Amino acid sequence: MRMHDGASPFHHSTSHSGGKDSCYSALLAQQHGHEIVALANLVPADAGTEELDSYMYQTVGHGVVEAWSACCDLPLFRRRIRGSLQHHALVYEDTPEDEVEDLAALLHRCKAALPELQAVSCGAIASDYQRTRVERVAARVGLVPLAYMWHQPQARLLRDMTERGVRAVLVKIAAAGLSVEKHLGAELSTLVSFLHVLRRKFGGNVCGEGGEFETLVVDAPLFTHAKIELESWEPYLASPDALAPVAYMNNIRWSLASKREGEPAPSARIEWVEDDVESAVPVSHLASARPGSACEASVQTWPSENLLRVSATVLRSSDGEDAAMHAALSAVQEALSVRDLSFSDALFVHLFVPSMRRFAAVNAVYLRFLPAANPPARATVELEGEGTVVDVLVAMPGGGTAPRSLPRKTLHVQSISDWAPACIGPYAQSVAHAGLVFFAGQIGLDPGSMELVAGGALAQCRRCLLSSQNVAVAQQTHLEQALLWATVYVDASASDEDRAAILRAVRTAWGSGASGQETDGRSEEENLHEEEDLYEEENIHEEENIHEEEDPHEDDALDEYLVPPSFPRRTWSPALDCVVMPALPRGVLHGAAPARLTTAALACPGRFRRAVISAPAAGSGAALAEEAAEVVCAAVLRQAAEEVEKCGGMSVASCRLYVAGSVDINAVRATLAKLSDSGPSMPPLLVPATALVDSRGDPCHMLLELLAVGALA
């Protein structure tokens, strides 16, 4: 598809089962400005079969779905499901004869018949299994996945869809408290309060996300021409369990009722899709070296007991930024391959590029090297001056433990939603591994439109904080109580006032919370008051609406996927530092890349040590000449060596030295070459920046970030 600004409307199809979720997801897509141009539906291979045992598709009521074409006056593409469950992993890989391949064939035909088709919507709320499969197929076909119900509160979704005129009946029941006599065939809107009662009594999901029930929509705002009237049906009892019977509607007879006076309902436009589509050829992420390139990359590798850090630097390239990125990634790839590792083992990638204006070309090179499934998290910023730097942190076997066998959770949501900005491409929102969660850089994008939020730097900062919080909850960690460190990147064009406001907001949200400690010279109580003031204006109207609309019978407990884990009050203050760079992605003024402990590691926080060593700048940050730069750099390295001594038996996993534009960078390079033996156990990776600010908001000449880890478990 042709990529364009996120705010531009997509022509999209809806992957449609006939149920409330696919219907309401399409309505939300319309609300975000996208136009529905087609419907797509999968049905059992045997037309006489009503129910399939499938984790992917709802099929009960499939005989009625053909009416949707007439009701919406849209073409309906349908295909009989030939495949079955073959690929059992959470993240789907193309597998012949799997039922997901039927969806690929269906959407491939939709795209061929409708060249203007750009996106596909689905009704996933909490199912990673369903979402990742739709996203994989969408990527193959060249469509953008839309999932505006993703990780939204089910109580609100249920209330909103019924209030907005989505009329649906229960066509299947499979939960404690639901009976054939009372609830099968009942309208969903009449059961809202009862479903909350069942949740309080038995648990489960009020939207049926756990398979408690399935629905069939008979009328909705999408039905512009006609509605469906059910004339008769027969109950089929699949399981006569006394507590939780499983039953569905069978032999459904229906008719259409025109919604336009004096006009008959339009004829259905249905195309059956018979052709298969070949599975995508698996991509080898061992990109070849670019012939004829004069780029040379210097490579540094720092193995520790359980982690490997590899960085590649190209100081300058006459062949352009994309050639420099190719050379750097090739060098990292070669360094990994000699250790029987690959980019699939990477946890986090930091890209420092010479110009964000050429980022599209640089990113195209990145796509050739990184895996599409379970990619690492990533942050990208522009360097001060020339040069390209790729810094990769990799899990590696060692110390009798193979980290690749340890649990790893990659959160890679590619669907556009209202949850957090989509990561469309080979980088994840976050990767959790062996007690640490590595977060991709967040910028101030509105998730639903993928456009920068209005209101300037502070508004972008608040959006970053909210998106980071949503990602943290999805990874089952807690921003306020488990944060180890965060690097705050600020665009050089941001004013001093904006920088101060950003740091204050980040410190308020993430810097307080340590028991018995103060932040920025103020008490915790003062910081909490500031936090209340910071968000009061934004939240006051939302809270008023909640109280006005709240159903007294509605269960206000959060869904499980929205509940952060319970953490003890932390006893440390996270390391927060601010780095001013020439430019950030999409021209934003603020971005953040946090990392934190997970529940397993919180019991032994001493296994991780994070230090930020800063060299304050006098006054407003006057220039630092060659001789002074050498002295300051040497002092920073000596302090880093002392910090390493405090790490005990832990291994240094990351050591990065940011240098402000006020400092003679060549003097720093010379000092690093001379003093590397007396510095930390690994020489720091040099990153030229525009300006630096410590956690108190004071300007710095240099900032050294140090991370040490103990044995992974």
Side-chain angles (χ1 to χ4, degrees):
M1 63 168 284
R2 179 177 63 86
M3 296 303 295
H4 48 70
D5 291 341
S8 301
F10 288 121
H11 292 93
H12 81 283
S13 68
T14 174
S15 179
H16 168 56
S17 66
K20 61 176 176 39
D21 293 340
S22 55
C23 176
Y24 193 56
S25 178
L27 277 174
L28 291 176
Q30 274 192 335
Q31 181 178 308
H32 281 79
H34 308 306
E35 178 185 357
I36 304 173
V37 295
L39 307 171
N41 172 244
L42 289 154
V43 302
D46 180 2
T49 299
E50 194 71 44
E51 166 74 333
L52 283 184
D53 185 16
S54 170
Y55 289 108
M56 272 295 292
Y57 310 121
Q58 171 187 321
T59 59
V60 176
H62 66 83
V64 187
V65 171
E66 67 181 69
W68 272 59
S69 176
C71 292
C72 303
D73 195 22
L74 289 171
L76 170 62
F77 294 83
R78 309 191 81 183
R79 177 181 171 88
R80 301 197 184 280
I81 301 170
R82 302 171 185 174
S84 58
L85 177 60
Q86 302 292 328
H87 189 86
H88 295 261
L90 179 63
V91 178
Y92 181 73
E93 296 180 8
D94 303 343
T95 304
E97 299 183 7
D98 190 278
E99 61 184 355
V100 175
E101 296 305 310
D102 290 297
L103 178 62
L106 179 65
L107 293 183
H108 185 271
R109 174 55 193 157
C110 291
K111 178 69 173 173
L114 301 168
E116 72 274 20
L117 189 64
Q118 298 167 299
V120 58
S121 68
C122 77
I125 298 175
S127 171
D128 288 301
Y129 182 92
Q130 183 188 64
R131 174 187 57 78
T132 57
R133 279 155 173 75
V134 173
E135 288 174 349
R136 173 57 192 152
V137 170
R140 283 169 54 182
V141 177
L143 299 174
V144 175
L146 308 175
Y148 287 109
M149 298 171 68
W150 180 251
H151 273 221
Q152 298 301 307
Q154 291 187 49
R156 190 184 71 197
L157 289 174
L158 180 60
R159 180 178 69 245
D160 290 352
M161 67 176 65
T162 54
E163 290 181 354
R164 289 190 60 183
V166 176
R167 286 187 55 220
V169 298
L170 271 61
V171 290
K172 180 182 176 181
I173 58 171
L178 294 177
S179 68
V180 177
E181 297 78 11
K182 293 182 179 179
H183 306 116
L184 188 64
E187 282 208 22
L188 181 65
S189 60
T190 66
L191 300 176
V192 172
S193 295
F194 180 67
L195 291 173
H196 284 287
V197 171
L198 292 186
R199 185 192 180 195
R200 286 190 289 269
K201 188 173 183 179
F202 300 110
N205 302 271
V206 295
C207 278
E209 183 69 1
E212 293 87 350
F213 61 88
E214 294 177 359
T215 60
L216 176 68
V217 174
V218 295
D219 196 10
L222 295 177
F223 289 15
T224 54
H225 287 70
K227 60 183 179 180
I228 301 169
E229 293 185 347
L230 301 183
E231 298 176 347
S232 65
W233 53 273
E234 300 171 2
Y236 180 84
L237 191 61
S239 172
D241 185 276
L243 178 63
V246 178
Y248 56 83
M249 294 168 61
N250 199 21
N251 296 327
I252 303 173
R253 296 182 179 276
W254 55 274
S255 61
L256 288 178
S258 177
K259 297 175 77 171
R260 300 191 175 192
E261 187 176 352
E263 294 183 18
S267 300
R269 291 175 283 157
I270 300 174
E271 177 180 332
W272 286 94
V273 177
E274 302 294 340
D275 295 337
D276 293 325
V277 61
E278 292 185 6
S279 298
V281 177
V283 178
S284 171
H285 297 285
L286 292 176
S288 59
R290 177 172 294 186
S293 175
C295 295
E296 292 186 5
S298 60
V299 181
Q300 293 174 295
T301 58
W302 298 275
S304 60
E305 187 175 5
N306 302 112
L307 296 171
L308 171 70
R309 187 169 139 247
V310 181
S311 71
T313 302
V314 178
L315 290 181
R316 59 184 57 86
S317 170
S318 59
D319 295 335
E321 291 92 337
D322 53 342
M325 179 58 66
H326 194 284
L329 289 170
S330 295
V332 172
Q333 179 177 268
E334 183 176 351
L336 294 176
S337 63
V338 298
R339 291 172 169 81
D340 194 27
L341 298 168
S342 71
F343 280 111
S344 294
D345 299 297
L347 303 172
F348 188 85
V349 177
H350 216 136
L351 300 182
F352 299 93
V353 298
S355 174
M356 291 305 301
R357 291 188 298 273
R358 289 275 300 158
F359 180 68
V362 168
N363 197 45
V365 176
Y366 187 84
L367 295 175
R368 298 176 56 191
F369 285 83
L370 275 292
N374 294 320
R378 184 183 79 179
T380 305
V381 293
E382 181 177 316
L383 281 173
E384 176 72 16
E386 295 183 350
T388 297
V389 179
V390 176
D391 192 24
V392 183
L393 186 65
V394 181
M396 63 177 291
T401 302
R404 276 183 279 183
S405 67
L406 296 175
R408 167 180 173 147
K409 180 182 178 183
T410 300
L411 185 64
H412 184 204
V413 180
Q414 301 176 72
S415 299
I416 294 178
S417 69
D418 287 322
W419 166 73
C423 288
I424 303 175
Y427 69 99
Q429 278 91 354
S430 64
V431 176
H433 177 75
L436 278 175
V437 183
F438 297 90
F439 276 54
Q442 282 287 352
I443 58 178
L445 294 180
D446 168 60
S449 66
M450 295 296 285
E451 283 289 291
L452 284 177
V453 297
L458 187 56
Q460 292 177 17
C461 176
R462 289 171 174 169
R463 181 63 246 185
C464 285
L465 294 173
L466 179 56
S467 295
S468 296
Q469 172 65 15
N470 290 344
V471 173
V473 172
Q475 276 285 26
Q476 281 298 285
T477 188
H478 198 298
L479 268 174
E480 185 180 354
Q481 295 302 333
L483 182 68
L484 280 177
W485 77 87
T487 301
V488 180
Y489 292 105
V490 181
D491 190 282
S493 64
S495 66
D496 291 341
E497 292 78 9
D498 282 342
R499 294 180 196 175
I502 288 169
L503 278 175
R504 187 164 57 250
V506 173
R507 284 199 304 268
T508 299
W510 292 346
S512 62
S515 178
Q517 297 188 12
E518 294 185 356
T519 303
D520 196 26
R522 292 176 297 180
S523 69
E524 182 178 323
E525 183 178 355
E526 290 174 317
N527 278 298
L528 290 176
H529 283 310
E530 180 178 345
E531 182 175 7
E532 292 171 0
D533 294 340
L534 185 65
Y535 295 103
E536 182 178 3
E537 184 176 346
E538 289 185 348
N539 292 339
I540 186 168
H541 299 299
E542 182 178 347
E543 291 176 1
E544 288 174 354
N545 291 335
I546 290 174
H547 289 303
E548 288 174 3
E549 300 174 3
E550 192 172 25
D551 184 339
H553 303 292
E554 188 173 291
D555 184 1
D556 59 0
L558 286 175
D559 300 290
E560 183 178 348
Y561 54 85
L562 297 177
V563 179
S566 177
F567 276 72
R569 192 169 184 81
R570 72 167 182 242
T571 56
W572 68 92
S573 291
L576 302 174
D577 49 286
C578 177
V579 180
V580 181
M581 304 300 278
L584 302 182
R586 302 282 294 272
V588 302
L589 299 176
H590 168 265
R596 60 193 52 78
L597 292 173
T598 61
T599 306
L602 194 60
C604 303
R607 290 191 297 141
F608 304 94
R609 185 175 182 84
R610 173 74 172 181
V612 177
I613 303 166
S614 61
S620 59
L624 205 60
E626 178 179 354
E627 184 175 347
E630 292 179 356
V631 172
V632 172
C633 182
V636 169
L637 291 177
R638 284 194 297 271
Q639 181 62 38
E642 293 179 12
E643 288 296 326
V644 171
E645 289 295 322
K646 298 176 184 178
C647 294
M650 292 188 286
S651 302
V652 176
S654 178
C655 188
R656 188 177 296 148
L657 178 62
Y658 291 97
V659 178
S662 58
V663 179
D664 187 324
I665 192 68
N666 291 323
V668 174
R669 288 195 175 101
T671 305
L672 287 175
K674 289 188 294 184
L675 300 179
S676 59
D677 291 340
S678 61
S681 58
M682 62 168 68
L685 176 68
L686 183 60
V687 181
T690 302
L692 302 169
V693 182
D694 65 16
S695 61
R696 298 179 64 87
D698 297 326
C700 301
H701 287 308
M702 300 181 197
L703 275 175
L704 189 141
E705 296 178 344
L706 180 71
L707 170 66
V709 298
L712 302 179

